[in-house]
Amino acid sequence: EPDVTIVSCLKDMAVFEGDDVTFQCQVSHENARDVEWKLQDVALQNNEMNEISVEKGKIHKLTLRKVTEQDIGTITFRVGPHTSTA
């Protein structure tokens, strides 16, 4: 299995309270396994507040819905041993 690396990293975002914000990271290979999103070292799951998706097989997206002050912090995307933060 090829080593999946991060091709394009996360970018820092500033949004207003109540807005949605989307982070995206592109990886080198489709169907990457061992992928994880975190907010302040807490693993995020796909639910009504967090939408986790993959576009075109390589672009991994995280959308945080209706953000609040509690959502301020570091977002981390990890694939295997590689990480990107914003």
Side-chain angles (χ1 to χ4, degrees):
E1 195 168 296
D3 185 31
V4 178
T5 59
I6 296 172
V7 177
S8 94
C9 295
L10 296 175
K11 294 182 176 42
D12 291 340
M13 305 289 275
V15 293
F16 291 103
E17 192 167 13
D19 286 353
D20 295 352
V21 61
T22 300
F23 295 90
Q24 72 177 35
C25 216
Q26 183 174 345
V27 297
S28 59
H29 295 80
E30 290 187 12
N31 304 318
R33 294 186 192 144
D34 196 21
V35 172
E36 184 177 48
W37 287 97
K38 289 183 173 182
L39 171 59
Q40 295 293 70
D41 290 326
V42 175
L44 298 174
Q45 304 298 321
N46 203 18
N47 59 35
E48 67 279 353
M49 296 306 294
N50 312 314
E51 182 185 333
I52 297 171
S53 61
V54 180
E55 284 186 7
K56 300 178 185 155
K58 295 182 182 179
I59 300 170
H60 292 257
K61 290 188 169 187
L62 166 67
T63 300
L64 301 179
R65 303 212 177 281
K66 297 182 176 69
V67 296
T68 66
E69 271 189 42
Q70 286 75 36
D71 296 317
I72 292 172
T74 301
I75 292 286
T76 304
F77 173 81
R78 180 185 64 76
V79 57
H82 308 286
T83 60
S84 176
T85 58

